[in-house]
Amino acid sequence: MPRINLESLKITGVQVNYFLVCPRKLWFFSKNLNMEQTSDLVYLGQLIDKETYKREMKNIIIDNKIQIDFFRRTLEVHEIKKSKKLDKPHLYQLLYYLYYLKRKGIIVRGVLNYPALRKKERVKLTPKKEKEIEKILNRIKEILKLKIPPSPKFKPYCRKCSYYSLCFA
C-alpha cells in the first residue's frame, strides 16, 4: 500500500472519528450536511471542552486539517471526550493526530481525557497503528468519492445521532 500524501488529503480528525462511528455519517458530514448544530449531545461535549483544562493552550488548528483540543509543553497532544461509549473512534482520532504530526516531523505523545469520568488514557502511535491509520485514510477517500451515501446500518447508538432522521425516517 502506498504511503499517504498528507498534503493531498483534506481529511480531518472528525472525519476519522465519523468513519469509525458510521461511514454514512462521515459522508453526510463531508458533503456539508451538518446536523449537529442542534444536537444536545454535541452541545454537552462543547461545554465540557470549554469548561475544562482552562489553563491549557486549547483548540490548536494545524494546516486547517486537524484541531487539537489542547497541547502541553511536555509534548503531549490531548483530546477531550465526554464519555468512553465510542472509545475506538476517539482513539483513532487521536492516533490520526499523532500520525499527522509525525509525518510533519513532530513526535508527540497522546492522551485521551474524559473529564466527566476523571480518567485519562495514554496513547502511543505504533507502526501497526500507523498502518491501520493509512488503511482508514484510504477507505475515507473511497467513501468521499461516492455519489450517494453508503447504506444505513442500524447500530445501538443510532437513535441518539443527529443524522438519525436522514437515515431511518
Side-chain angles (χ1 to χ4, degrees):
M1 179 183 318
R3 295 284 291 181
I4 301 293
N5 177 356
L6 290 178
E7 298 308 315
S8 68
L9 284 179
K10 303 232 184 305
I11 294 174
T12 68
V14 171
Q15 288 173 305
V16 170
N17 185 310
Y18 284 2
F19 169 76
L20 290 160
V21 170
C22 173
R24 187 172 172 91
K25 181 177 184 174
L26 162 70
W27 190 90
F28 285 136
F29 175 81
S30 299
K31 303 298 182 189
N32 294 317
L33 288 165
N34 192 346
M35 306 289 286
E36 298 202 324
Q37 65 273 18
T38 60
S39 169
D40 290 340
L41 293 174
V42 171
Y43 176 74
L44 179 58
Q46 291 169 341
L47 189 61
I48 289 171
D49 180 58
K50 181 181 173 191
E51 295 300 320
T52 58
Y53 306 102
K54 290 183 177 182
R55 289 185 245 165
E56 304 297 340
M57 200 166 67
K58 293 177 69 172
N59 300 319
I60 301 149
I61 299 172
I62 299 173
D63 295 341
N64 285 323
K65 293 180 188 171
I66 63 174
Q67 180 176 325
I68 296 167
D69 285 344
F70 71 92
F71 184 81
R72 287 212 167 125
R73 290 188 186 119
T74 56
L75 296 179
E76 288 181 341
V77 170
H78 290 255
E79 185 65 19
I80 302 168
K81 299 297 181 185
K82 66 179 174 54
S83 80
K84 292 181 73 165
K85 287 184 181 169
L86 297 173
D87 57 345
K88 185 176 179 181
H90 301 163
L91 171 65
Y92 278 85
Q93 182 177 358
L94 181 55
L95 284 170
Y96 174 60
Y97 296 156
L98 300 177
Y99 173 87
Y100 189 92
L101 292 168
K102 181 178 179 184
R103 294 289 305 277
K104 294 186 85 51
I106 303 166
I107 307 298
V108 293
R109 294 181 300 256
V111 180
L112 278 171
N113 295 268
Y114 298 97
L117 303 173
R118 298 180 189 261
K119 295 202 181 274
K120 292 181 185 180
E121 290 181 17
R122 302 238 175 255
V123 174
K124 184 177 181 183
L125 181 65
T126 63
K128 181 180 176 186
K129 295 290 185 201
E130 284 186 55
K131 288 186 184 352
E132 289 177 30
I133 290 291
E134 289 174 355
K135 286 179 186 175
I136 288 168
L137 295 175
N138 282 317
R139 189 69 186 103
I140 289 171
K141 283 172 47 178
E142 291 170 14
I143 290 170
L144 297 182
K145 289 179 186 175
L146 296 174
K147 300 232 184 285
I148 61 171
S151 299
K153 293 180 182 164
F154 188 81
K155 297 175 184 169
Y157 46 81
C158 285
R159 291 191 199 286
K160 293 183 179 181
C161 177
S162 57
Y163 292 90
Y164 180 77
S165 62
L166 279 174
C167 297
F168 301 105

